[in-house]
C-alpha cells in the first residue's frame, strides 16, 4: 500500500494558483479546505510544477515563493528550479 | 476548572460575488483579477445616448467591426488589476531610478561618443511624442472599447506609455537640459526623416474602429518600432560607449515583452472567435504593417546606415512570424 504525501498551504490569493496547479498536475490528489488553510493529500507522489503555477498566477513564479504560503509538508522533498516533488523514499 | 478548547468551522455562504458565480456556473472562489474584471462594465439599461455620439449607446459593442460572443474572453494573461499593476510597475520604475542614479554618478551619458550623443538626441528624444500618440490611442481604446477586460488593460497601457515618455524625457534632461527636449520637438515636427512616422502616428489617432487602432498600435507599430529602437539602435550604440543608455532603456525592453504577451493573448482570442474577426484583423495588419515599415525606413537608414534596410527587413520577418502564429496569414507583400 502506498502512503500519502501531503502539502498544506495558507488560503491566500497566491496559494490559490498553486493549489489549482497541483490539482491539475496530480489527478490522484484530494483537497481538503479549512478556514485558513488547504491540505492536499496524494498517494505516493505529488509534484508542483513551476510552469503550471506561472500560467495560473499570470507572472513568472519562483518556486521558492511557495514558502511564503507553506504551512506544512509531509514527505521527502526533491526540488529543483522547475519542480518540487514530494514522495516517500522507501 | 477544566478548560475545553474546541474549533468550530464557519462555512461561508458564498465563495464569490453572485455575478461571478453565475458566469462560472458554480460558486467557487474567484481570483482577485476575476472579481475586479468580469462584468464590471454595464451592459444594459442605458437611458440617454451620448450627445457626442448619438448613433451609439454609452457602452456599445458596435463601435468595432470585431464581434465577440463574450467580450470578457479578451482577458489579460498578466492578470493585472489595479493593485497587481501598480505593484509590478513600481518595481520596474524603481529599477529605472537605480539605473538613472548609477549612470548619473558615473557620468556615463556624458561619456558617450559626441557623434553618438547627437545621434541619440536625434533618434530617441523625439520618440516622446510618438509615445504620447500611443498614449492617446490606448486612452481611446479604454474610452470606446467594450468590456472591462480590454478597457482595463488599455488604460494601464496608456499609463505605461506616459511612463516611457517620461523616461525618455529624463534621458533628454540628463543629456542637455530642457533645450535638448525643445530641440527634439523641433526634430519631430520638422526633420524630414521623422515626418513619415509623425504622419503615421497622427493618422492612427483618428482611426474610427478601436480594434483596428489596437492592431495598428500594439501589433504593427510596437512590433517594429520598439525592437528597432531598443534592440537594433541600442546595439549599435554599444560600439559608441552608450551602455549607460542601455541600462536606462531596459524598462522599455522589459515592457515590450510584457505588452506583447497581452497583445498576443487578446488578438489570439479575437482571431479564434470567428473567421470574420480573423479576416478583419488580417486586413488591418496588411494595411498598417507596411505603412509602419515605410515610416521607419528613413530612421533606420539614418541611424544604422547601409545596414538599416536589412535590419528592418529582419524585424518585419520576425513580426510576420509572430502574426502567423496568431493566425494572420502572410500577405504577398510581406513574403515578397
Amino acid at each position: 500500500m502506498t502512503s500519502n504525501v501531503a502539502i498544506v498551504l495558507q488560503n491566500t490569493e497566491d496559494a490559490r494558483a498553486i493549489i489549482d496547479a497541483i490539482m491539475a498536475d496530480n489527478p490522484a490528489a484530494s483537497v481538503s479546505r479549512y478556514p485558513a488553510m488547504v491540505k492536499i493529500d496524494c498517494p505516493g507522489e505529488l509534484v508542483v510544477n513551476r510552469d503550471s503555477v506561472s500560467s495560473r498566477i499570470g507572472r513568472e513564479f519562483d518556486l521558492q515563493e511557495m514558502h511564503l504560503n507553506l504551512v506544512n509538508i509531509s514527505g521527502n522533498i526533491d526540488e529543483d528550479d522547475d519542480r518540487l516533488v514530494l514522495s516517500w523514499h522507501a | 476548572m477544566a478548560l475545553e478548547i474546541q474549533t468550530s468551522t464557519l462555512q461561508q455562504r458564498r465563495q464569490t460575488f453572485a455575478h461571478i458565480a453565475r458566469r462560472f456556473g458554480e460558486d467557487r472562489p474567484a481570483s482577485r483579477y476575476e472579481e475586479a474584471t468580469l462584468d464590471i462594465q454595464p451592459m444594459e439599461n442605458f437611458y440617454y445616448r451620448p450627445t457626442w455620439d448619438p448613433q451609439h449607446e454609452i457602452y456599445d459593442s458596435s463601435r468595432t467591426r470585431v464581434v465577440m460572443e463574450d467580450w470578457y474572453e479578451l482577458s489579460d494573461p498578466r492578470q493585472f488589476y489595479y493593485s497587481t499593476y501598480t505593484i509590478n510597475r513600481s518595481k520596474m520604475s524603481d529599477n529605472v531610478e537605480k539605473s538613472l542614479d548609477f549612470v548619473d554618478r558615473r557620468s556615463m551619458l556624458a561619456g558617450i561618443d559626441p557623434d553618438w550623443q547627437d545621434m541619440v538626441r536625434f533618434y530617441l528624444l523625439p520618440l516622446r511624442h510618438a509615445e504620447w500618440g500611443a498614449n492617446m490611442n490606448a486612452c481611446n481604446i479604454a474610452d470606446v472599447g467594450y468590456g472591462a477586460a480590454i478597457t482595463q488593460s488599455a488604460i494601464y497601457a496608456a499609463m505605461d506609455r506616459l511612463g516611457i515618455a517620461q523616461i525618455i524625457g529624463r534621458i533628454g534632461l540628463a543629456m542637455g537640459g530642457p533645450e535638448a527636449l525643445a530641440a527634439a520637438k523641433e526634430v519631430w515636427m520638422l526633420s524630414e526623416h521623422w515626418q513619415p512616422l509623425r504622419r503615421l502616428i497622427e493618422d492612427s489617432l483618428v482611426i474610427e474602429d478601436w480594434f483596428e487602432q489596437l492592431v495598428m498600435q500594439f501589433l504593427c507599430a510596437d512590433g517594429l518600432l520598439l525592437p528597432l529602437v531598443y534592440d537594433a539602435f541600442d546595439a549599435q550604440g554599444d560600439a559608441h560607449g552608450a551602455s549607460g543608455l542601455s541600462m536606462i532603456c531596459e524598462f522599455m525592453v522589459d515592457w515590450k515583452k510584457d505588452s506583447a504577451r497581452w497583445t498576443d493573448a487578446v488578438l489570439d482570442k479575437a482571431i479564434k472567435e470567428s473567421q470574420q474577426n480573423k479576416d478583419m484583423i488580417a486586413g488591418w495588419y496588411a494595411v498598417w504593417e507596411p505603412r509602419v515599415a515605410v515610416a521607419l525606413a528613413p530612421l533606420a537608414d539614418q541611424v544604422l546606415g547601409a545596414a538599416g534596410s536589412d535590419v528592418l527587413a529582419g524585424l518585419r520577418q520576425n513580426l510576420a512570424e509572430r502574426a502567423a502564429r496568431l493566425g494572420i496569414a502572410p500577405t504577398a507583400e510581406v513574403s515578397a
Side-chain angles (χ1 to χ4, degrees):
Chain A
M1 170 200 151
T2 46
S3 43
N4 277 350
V5 293
I7 186 166
V8 185
L9 296 156
Q10 290 181 60
N11 213 351
T12 60
E13 178 73 11
D14 280 356
R16 204 167 288 143
I18 306 173
I19 294 159
D20 287 348
I22 293 173
M23 295 312 289
D25 293 347
N26 302 275
S30 63
V31 62
S32 321
R33 294 178 191 275
Y34 299 100
M37 61 181 203
V38 172
K39 180 164 190 265
I40 302 172
D41 294 287
C42 191
E45 185 182 282
L46 181 147
V47 59
V48 187
N49 288 308
R50 186 170 67 102
D51 287 346
S52 311
V53 181
S54 293
S55 68
R56 284 171 177 80
I57 209 166
R59 60 182 166 84
E60 280 299 310
F61 182 75
D62 183 338
L63 270 186
Q64 297 300 317
E65 285 180 59
M66 195 167 69
H67 293 284
L68 296 171
N69 296 294
L70 190 62
V71 178
N72 198 1
I73 214 163
S74 143
N76 298 115
I77 298 170
D78 177 13
E79 183 183 23
D80 63 25
D81 284 350
D82 293 320
R83 83 209 188 327
L84 180 148
V85 182
L86 283 178
S87 62
W88 290 114
H89 296 167
Chain B
M1 192 184 86
L3 192 67
E4 196 182 343
I5 298 174
Q6 279 189 325
T7 57
S8 63
T9 306
L10 294 177
Q11 201 62 45
Q12 66 196 60
R13 296 180 65 179
R14 292 175 174 204
Q15 300 294 328
T16 183
F17 298 108
H19 69 280
I20 308 272
R22 275 198 296 279
R23 187 172 259 284
F24 288 163
E26 58 172 331
D27 185 30
R28 65 172 162 84
S31 73
R32 296 257 170 86
Y33 171 70
E34 288 164 331
E35 290 187 342
T37 307
L38 296 174
D39 295 321
I40 291 290
Q41 180 206 283
M43 294 278 192
E44 56 193 3
N45 301 332
F46 302 125
Y47 292 92
Y48 304 107
R49 288 182 172 239
T51 50
W52 44 270
D53 183 12
Q55 274 75 50
H56 295 103
E57 297 285 2
I58 180 103
Y59 296 109
D60 197 324
S61 61
S62 70
R63 283 203 180 92
T64 173
R65 280 169 287 169
V66 166
V67 178
M68 295 293 291
E69 173 77 25
D70 175 9
W71 286 91
Y72 287 90
E73 285 280 301
L74 305 180
S75 60
D76 181 354
R78 304 162 302 179
Q79 300 185 23
F80 280 156
Y81 59 100
Y82 184 78
S83 105
T84 44
Y85 167 75
T86 47
I87 290 169
N88 181 289
R89 291 299 186 257
S90 117
K91 279 184 193 151
M92 285 172 76
S93 73
D94 280 352
N95 286 338
V96 175
E97 293 297 327
K98 282 209 187 83
S99 301
L100 276 163
D101 269 359
F102 183 95
V103 166
D104 186 42
R105 272 200 297 272
R106 288 163 184 75
S107 306
M108 286 170 88
L109 293 180
I112 301 174
D113 296 351
D115 287 352
W116 193 258
Q117 284 194 32
D118 287 341
M119 191 57 99
V120 171
R121 289 193 195 97
F122 167 78
Y123 85 73
L124 186 63
L125 303 192
L127 272 179
R128 294 167 76 218
H129 305 284
E131 288 297 335
W132 178 81
N135 163 266
M136 292 296 286
N137 285 340
C139 278
N140 190 55
I141 294 166
D143 182 15
V144 296
Y146 196 73
I150 191 78
T151 55
Q152 170 172 248
S153 309
I155 202 68
Y156 298 152
M159 294 311 296
D160 290 336
R161 304 319 287 243
L162 279 190
I164 293 173
Q166 284 175 357
I167 294 169
I168 297 173
R170 298 276 293 272
I171 294 169
L173 290 175
M175 290 184 75
E179 297 80 22
L181 295 181
K185 186 174 181 194
E186 289 297 304
V187 173
W188 169 256
M189 299 289 287
L190 299 172
S191 159
E192 56 172 317
H193 306 290
W194 277 95
Q195 293 321 298
L197 186 66
R198 180 173 151 228
R199 181 183 179 144
L200 176 76
I201 300 287
E202 289 179 357
D203 283 352
S204 77
L205 295 176
V206 292
I207 295 175
E208 281 285 336
D209 188 312
W210 62 267
F211 212 103
E212 179 177 3
Q213 206 166 28
L214 186 128
V215 172
M216 185 279 162
Q217 179 66 56
F218 290 97
L219 183 66
C220 302
D222 289 357
L224 292 178
L225 178 91
L226 299 180
L228 181 70
V229 172
Y230 299 111
D231 296 340
F233 292 179
D234 198 80
Q236 187 80 354
D238 269 356
H240 301 275
S243 53
L245 187 66
S246 309
M247 285 179 63
I248 304 173
C249 290
E250 189 64 11
F251 179 97
M252 285 76 125
V253 176
D254 290 340
W255 186 83
K256 163 162 73 78
K257 201 172 140 204
D258 181 281
S259 169
R261 205 170 140 224
W262 166 66
T263 310
D264 287 0
V266 167
L267 293 178
D268 185 53
K269 280 280 166 54
I271 285 169
K272 288 209 173 110
E273 175 90 359
S274 69
Q275 184 65 35
Q276 187 199 347
N277 284 357
K278 186 175 170 173
D279 294 344
M280 197 72 74
I281 291 168
W284 290 328
Y285 179 81
V287 168
W288 290 104
E289 192 273 344
R291 278 201 62 185
V292 175
V294 169
L296 291 176
L299 295 176
D301 290 342
Q302 195 68 13
V303 178
L304 302 174
S309 57
D310 284 349
V311 169
L312 194 54
L315 294 176
R316 292 190 73 186
Q317 185 60 37
N318 293 347
L319 185 60
E321 283 163 16
R322 185 177 146 200
R325 278 198 297 277
L326 293 170
I328 301 171
T331 60
E333 209 280 329
V334 172
S335 53

